[in-house]
Amino acid sequence: MSDLPSLPVTFRPSRTRAVLLGAAAAIFVVVSAVALLLDRLGPGERLSFVFTAALFAGGLLMLARPRVVADETGVTVVNFASTRRLEWAEIVQVNLRVGDPWVFLDLTDGTSLPAIGIQPGIAKEQAIAHARALRALVEARSGDPRT
């Protein structure tokens, strides 16, 4: 297949990630600035503002973490709080059905793994293209073409 992406390739929801990273930075800067500008706050209260801002920013950074990385030996799925490495042969099928929040990988052990790094959210066309590319890579690498 000539339309396969060159490896290694990383699939991630770029627009969603940009929004989340921008919001994390903005929240941290604004809340920290407010803490420093309020004259009535003591050092402990200022520190608590900055700590709270860091917690909110950290939460948004965790939401921006998902990605799917394909390389010569397999696929690494990074979700919000977990990472799983798969050999190409372990992936039976790549699914992105209408209404799915993200791609699901059907695995040889009978389970399904969400691959949150490919999600149609605010970039549906990109997610469809990424799902098709990953599906083509799985078919090419597993040696078992599926229709």
Side-chain angles (χ1 to χ4, degrees):
M1 288 185 171
S2 61
D3 60 339
L4 288 177
S6 58
L7 297 176
V9 62
T10 300
F11 303 108
R12 62 172 33 133
S14 352
R15 290 182 194 162
T16 302
R17 181 176 164 83
V19 168
L20 289 168
L21 293 177
I27 286 172
F28 184 77
V29 168
V30 168
V31 173
S32 297
V34 167
L36 296 174
L37 293 174
L38 289 176
D39 293 333
R40 292 183 178 182
L41 296 180
E45 293 168 317
R46 288 175 196 226
L47 187 59
S48 71
F49 266 72
V50 173
F51 180 72
T52 301
L55 283 176
F56 280 120
L60 291 175
L61 292 175
M62 286 297 289
L63 293 176
R65 186 173 181 255
R67 64 187 172 277
V68 177
V69 181
D71 60 30
E72 293 294 333
T73 60
V75 175
T76 303
V77 178
V78 180
N79 288 333
F80 300 124
S82 67
T83 300
R84 182 158 175 199
R85 177 76 184 158
L86 301 165
E87 301 282 329
W88 286 110
E90 291 180 81
I91 304 170
V92 175
Q93 191 169 2
V94 177
N95 294 308
L96 180 60
R97 295 174 292 264
V98 175
D100 280 351
W102 37 70
V103 161
F104 289 91
L105 303 177
D106 292 340
L107 306 179
T108 55
D109 65 3
T111 63
S112 182
L113 175 68
I116 300 172
I118 304 175
Q119 52 181 269
I122 58 176
K124 184 177 179 180
E125 295 79 21
Q126 179 189 32
I128 292 169
H130 286 176
R132 285 182 179 152
L134 183 58
R135 183 178 298 129
L137 284 168
V138 167
E139 290 173 0
R141 296 287 172 167
S142 71
D144 180 23
R146 294 165 189 89
T147 54

